[in-house]
Amino acid sequence: HVHDTRYEVVPRCCRALGWKMTAQNPRLAYTLAWHDCGGSTAESNMTQLNSLQKINHFPGVSKICQKCKLALTLNRLSKEFPDLYDFHPRSFCLPKESEALRQWMQLRFVQRKQRPVVIAKPDGGCQGNGIFLSNDFKELQEALQDSGSTAVQEYLSRPYLINGYKFDLRVYVLLTSCAPRLRAFQHKAGLVRFCTEKYVRPKRSNLKDVYMHLTNYAVNKHNSKYQQSTECTEVQDFMAAAAQDESAKVNKSPVLAGAAIGSSRSQRSNDEPAAKLREGEPASALRSDRTWQNGAEEKQDSKWSLERLFEFLTAQGHDVEALQERITDVLIKTLLSIQHSLAQEYRACFPTEGTMSGSQQGFRCFEVLGFDIMLDRNLKPWVIEVNHSPSLHCDSELDYRIKTDVIQRSLVLGSIDSDDLLAGAPLPRPLTFQEQKEKLAQVLARRTELAAASSSSSSGSLLSIAEQRRRQPKSLQESNVENEQDLARQELPPSAAALGDEQSGNQSSRSSRSPRNSCFEPEGANDSKLPQSEDNTTDGSGGTAAQVQVQSGHGEVDLSLEEKVEALRTAFEDANCGDFMRILPFPEDAKMAEAYRRIEGYRPALFKESPVALRRREAIEKDRKKQEAARLHHRAMVGDRPAWGTSGRGRVSTVQQQQDAAL
């Protein structure tokens, strides 16, 4: 279902994959929906999907995709991990944090002897709408008086410049699952967006020059100095032919050709220049349309690719590999900041998976995120914002090449489920309402069968334990044993007990190791199908057995259904990710693995106390302490515990006074 998208490149990629698209009637049956039209991406619409349908958004991802929520999330973690979360500019959510912003601006003025510059962005804004710079708090309050929630961020006044122009990076990240763990991929290609006016340090006279301070393409394309990218000129002939013949969009595309599910890596239009660069040729040999003079270009394009940026930085003598590692590091930390809440909201919205296997691996959602990252003069990456619906307009050959590969690979990786993986090939999808209804009935029946089998096996195991205890000798029943393992050891001979300990030790050592993927086809094999498992089932049910046998380098290893599905999924993603590279789950031997584990172990409170509720609670606690102090003072002065009797007209009297009155 692609009729809720504004971009032509999305249905074009679906046609290239050979997929069928529904008519404009939203009541027709479909199994995957792509939404990027504003209100249609609301999380409330996700609950209307049946268990066979997928969508290209996650519920709860707004915690990093809305500017104010991103500021709250990263500010909270920066207090817990100040050494890890230092890659987001200081941000405030107005009008709630107006007083905190005023105090911060005063403090910065005292420290630096000049007014700090901040940039204000509407919480739900996009494409540069409503963004402005200011260095006066009163002026900022007046400008935002009638507006809604606004994120006010410290302006990075010392960015890294190329030929005097400010720029930022658009990095594409694909989320494929959040349950039980986050699975994320970073695309190797990306966009570098330049301003169209040379940068000057912000001051009162140039704060309103949006072409100097804002890198948004939607803003700078209106400037007469905007220059189209000169990269990927070899695709221009194809785009002209595709405009005349609709079928040429699939058959002649150097990017889309042969990119169906399970196919080999799509051919990039710059593969040959990349190979020449690896052989030692200079960067100027890759593109003849521009020349280099003292590290600068005669003609400044307003949009680059990440590859071109890294070539420039390499020519300037910078460590590009270290920069790439730092960029990946901030992406991982930003995603880990919402892993627990994302998994909780996903399960609240999608409590079950529409598969026959009964696996609870998350397959219902996938999402393409656009990270806006800026480099300061020390080449430190700063996360400015995260977009849950990044622009997919293709106004140039460079846009077409990069965004087509991003969308197509995202569709391939996001369309599979556990039944496809266990069957070893993509299963046919229901195309009509009747087929979808029958499939839903089969899934429900299978779910009921698995639940009944699970409950019966649990009750059977309990009965067997009770029967074993009943048949034990009386002396053994009366003996004081600590656990069931000690009971079993008393029934077995010493040789058998030692053998059992050895087997249990081997099993624990096997479980501590991650399952190997040698059960799948090797890299050089034909990957036109999904990776095959040892016990493929044509219906994708996966069987009712709790354990499955998987061949590995250490012999046969018992893997549960969830572990098997996860291993098959990892192998499929590795074979079909193309220019995407996996960043989550992170490798156990990664440089920052210990820091990532610290972040994973942090579980923030689900509900944050509002300032009003906090002041009310503090006032109540203060009154309670005051009353307790007065009560203790009264007892110390009277010297006797007061008794709740009456003397005269309801007056409280002590025990001694009551005795005197009785006499």
Side-chain angles (χ1 to χ4, degrees):
H1 184 74
V2 295
H3 293 282
D4 287 326
T5 178
R6 298 167 288 180
Y7 309 110
E8 174 61 26
V9 68
V10 178
R12 184 183 300 167
C13 291
C14 293
R15 287 190 292 267
L17 293 171
W19 292 1
K20 294 183 179 180
M21 292 175 286
T22 61
Q24 199 162 358
N25 185 1
R27 296 182 60 83
L28 293 179
Y30 60 89
T31 56
L32 189 146
W34 184 285
H35 294 284
D36 53 42
C37 293
S40 61
T41 63
E43 297 174 359
S44 59
N45 293 341
M46 298 182 185
T47 58
Q48 301 176 5
L49 302 176
N50 60 47
S51 58
L52 299 179
Q53 294 173 333
K54 305 174 184 289
I55 192 170
N56 68 318
H57 291 286
F58 278 91
V61 78
S62 60
K63 286 184 173 59
I64 59 173
C65 291
Q66 291 184 3
K67 299 176 181 63
C68 286
K69 290 184 179 181
L70 174 66
L72 292 174
T73 300
L74 297 185
N75 287 344
R76 181 186 68 241
L77 285 171
S78 65
K79 297 178 181 178
E80 297 290 334
F81 309 103
D83 57 330
L84 300 179
Y85 283 85
D86 58 347
F87 53 84
H88 185 63
R90 187 72 172 90
S91 303
F92 303 87
C93 299
L94 270 59
K96 292 183 179 179
E97 298 180 337
S98 298
E99 181 61 24
L101 174 62
R102 184 188 65 81
Q103 295 178 2
W104 177 82
M105 294 184 71
Q106 288 183 350
L107 180 62
R108 281 302 178 94
F109 177 74
V110 172
Q111 293 174 345
R112 301 183 179 182
K113 305 303 180 183
Q114 62 181 0
R115 292 183 176 182
V117 179
V118 295
I119 180 170
K121 306 177 183 179
D123 191 22
C126 61
Q127 298 182 349
N129 295 324
I131 300 179
F132 65 94
L133 277 67
S134 177
N135 61 354
D136 188 282
F137 178 75
K138 293 183 179 179
E139 181 182 76
L140 191 65
Q141 274 190 322
E142 294 176 357
L144 301 177
Q145 186 174 5
D146 298 330
S147 61
S149 181
T150 305
V152 178
Q153 194 175 84
E154 180 183 7
Y155 184 75
L156 299 179
S157 58
R158 296 183 177 181
Y160 187 88
L161 304 178
I162 294 181
N163 303 327
Y165 292 93
K166 178 183 174 183
F167 66 93
D168 73 345
L169 314 181
R170 169 59 60 86
V171 181
Y172 295 101
V173 174
L174 171 64
L175 285 179
T176 58
S177 179
C178 65
R181 296 183 66 184
L182 278 175
R183 305 179 74 88
F185 300 82
Q186 175 189 352
H187 203 272
K188 297 178 182 178
L191 296 175
V192 182
R193 306 175 300 178
F194 286 87
C195 293
T196 49
E197 295 287 348
K198 289 199 173 184
Y199 181 77
V200 180
R201 290 286 296 273
K203 50 187 178 181
R204 294 290 296 180
S205 59
N206 64 8
L207 289 180
K208 295 183 180 181
D209 192 345
V210 294
Y211 299 129
M212 179 188 298
H213 299 292
L214 302 186
T215 58
N216 304 74
Y217 164 74
V219 174
N220 287 279
K221 69 179 182 180
H222 299 293
N223 191 2
S224 59
K225 297 182 180 180
Y226 183 84
Q227 297 289 340
Q228 286 287 354
S229 175
T230 56
E231 297 185 65
C232 305
T233 55
E234 62 271 19
V235 188
Q236 187 173 6
D237 296 336
F238 159 73
M239 296 187 68
Q244 299 176 1
D245 186 5
E246 182 66 18
S247 62
K249 296 178 181 178
V250 178
N251 300 327
K252 299 182 182 180
S253 171
V255 179
L256 301 183
I261 293 180
S263 66
S264 60
R265 180 172 175 174
S266 62
Q267 299 176 358
R268 294 178 54 187
S269 58
N270 62 339
D271 281 345
E272 295 180 1
K276 292 181 180 179
L277 182 62
R278 286 192 295 269
E279 294 173 2
E281 292 191 13
S284 59
L286 298 182
R287 301 174 183 87
S288 59
D289 58 324
R290 57 190 175 97
T291 58
W292 298 74
Q293 293 180 352
N294 299 325
E297 292 183 277
E298 291 181 353
K299 184 178 181 181
Q300 173 68 44
D301 295 341
S302 297
K303 189 178 290 187
W304 285 7
S305 64
L306 276 181
E307 179 187 9
R308 185 173 173 181
L309 172 66
F310 294 150
E311 291 174 8
F312 176 84
L313 295 178
T314 302
Q316 297 297 312
H318 297 290
D319 189 353
V320 173
E321 292 185 1
L323 173 61
Q324 293 173 341
E325 291 179 358
R326 290 194 295 268
I327 292 175
T328 303
D329 177 62
V330 299
L331 297 179
I332 294 176
K333 291 176 181 177
T334 305
L335 294 175
L336 289 178
S337 65
I338 60 167
Q339 60 170 346
H340 298 301
S341 60
L342 196 64
Q344 183 180 13
E345 296 198 28
Y346 176 83
R347 283 308 176 197
C349 191
F350 304 107
T352 58
E353 299 289 332
T355 58
M356 299 288 291
S357 63
S359 172
Q360 290 303 310
Q361 291 276 340
F363 287 93
R364 300 288 302 277
C365 300
F366 69 98
E367 186 152 7
V368 178
L369 301 176
F371 280 74
D372 290 345
I373 296 178
M374 189 167 292
L375 304 178
D376 62 13
R377 62 178 181 176
N378 298 321
L379 287 183
K380 176 184 177 181
W382 294 80
V383 174
I384 304 300
E385 61 183 57
V386 184
N387 302 275
H388 77 288
S389 292
S391 175
L392 300 177
H393 284 297
C394 298
D395 295 337
S396 65
E397 296 88 345
L398 177 64
D399 289 326
Y400 178 81
R401 175 176 65 83
I402 294 177
K403 296 178 181 179
T404 298
D405 190 68
V406 169
I407 299 169
Q408 188 165 343
R409 291 295 167 179
S410 301
L411 291 173
V412 170
L413 297 179
S415 61
I416 61 168
D417 56 28
S418 59
D419 289 347
D420 298 330
L421 297 172
L422 294 171
L427 299 176
R429 265 47 172 181
L431 301 179
T432 63
F433 276 123
Q434 183 63 27
E435 293 178 358
Q436 198 173 73
K437 185 177 180 180
E438 294 174 357
K439 181 68 174 179
L440 287 171
Q442 295 175 5
V443 170
L444 181 60
R446 179 66 176 174
R447 192 180 301 161
T448 305
E449 178 185 351
L450 292 176
S454 177
S455 61
S456 63
S457 62
S458 300
S459 60
S461 61
L462 292 176
L463 290 176
S464 61
I465 294 174
E467 185 67 17
Q468 291 177 6
R469 288 182 175 178
R470 186 180 65 81
R471 294 181 180 180
Q472 289 175 357
K474 185 175 181 181
S475 59
L476 185 60
Q477 294 179 4
E478 294 176 355
S479 63
N480 184 14
V481 292
E482 296 182 357
N483 48 41
E484 297 296 334
Q485 184 178 2
D486 294 337
L487 286 174
R489 292 177 62 87
Q490 293 183 22
E491 293 179 352
L492 294 175
S495 59
L499 180 61
D501 292 341
E502 182 180 357
Q503 293 178 351
S504 62
N506 295 336
Q507 183 177 1
S508 62
S509 63
R510 287 196 301 265
S511 62
S512 63
R513 292 192 297 264
S514 58
R516 298 186 52 182
N517 296 334
S518 57
C519 59
F520 308 129
E521 296 182 0
E523 294 182 359
N526 180 17
D527 49 355
S528 59
K529 294 182 179 180
L530 293 174
Q532 299 287 335
S533 62
E534 290 293 326
D535 56 343
N536 289 337
T537 54
T538 56
D539 59 348
S541 60
T544 58
Q547 302 290 327
V548 293
Q549 298 293 326
V550 176
Q551 188 72 22
S552 74
H554 301 280
E556 291 189 353
V557 180
D558 290 338
L559 294 179
S560 65
L561 176 63
E562 300 297 338
E563 292 175 338
K564 179 185 178 183
V565 171
E566 184 175 2
L568 289 171
R569 187 176 195 176
T570 301
F572 172 79
E573 291 172 343
D574 292 342
N576 296 272
C577 61
D579 281 343
F580 277 109
M581 61 178 183
R582 186 188 305 277
I583 58 176
L584 286 174
F586 56 86
E588 295 298 328
D589 57 348
K591 184 185 300 184
M592 297 291 293
E594 184 61 31
Y596 298 153
R597 282 191 285 267
R598 287 171 54 196
I599 300 172
E600 282 187 327
Y602 174 69
R603 294 180 177 269
L606 297 180
F607 301 99
K608 185 178 180 181
E609 193 173 21
S610 64
V612 177
L614 177 63
R615 289 194 295 268
R616 184 184 298 114
R617 183 175 60 81
E618 291 177 349
I620 294 174
E621 185 69 17
K622 184 177 180 180
D623 292 342
R624 189 190 65 79
K625 291 182 179 180
K626 186 183 297 185
Q627 293 177 2
E628 183 67 21
R631 189 179 298 111
L632 293 175
H633 177 72
H634 173 75
R635 291 179 180 178
M637 295 299 294
V638 173
D640 190 11
R641 180 180 295 275
W644 290 97
T646 57
S647 177
R649 300 177 59 184
R651 181 171 56 86
V652 178
S653 60
T654 63
V655 177
Q656 185 64 34
Q657 290 175 345
Q658 290 180 358
Q659 293 177 356
D660 294 342
L663 293 174

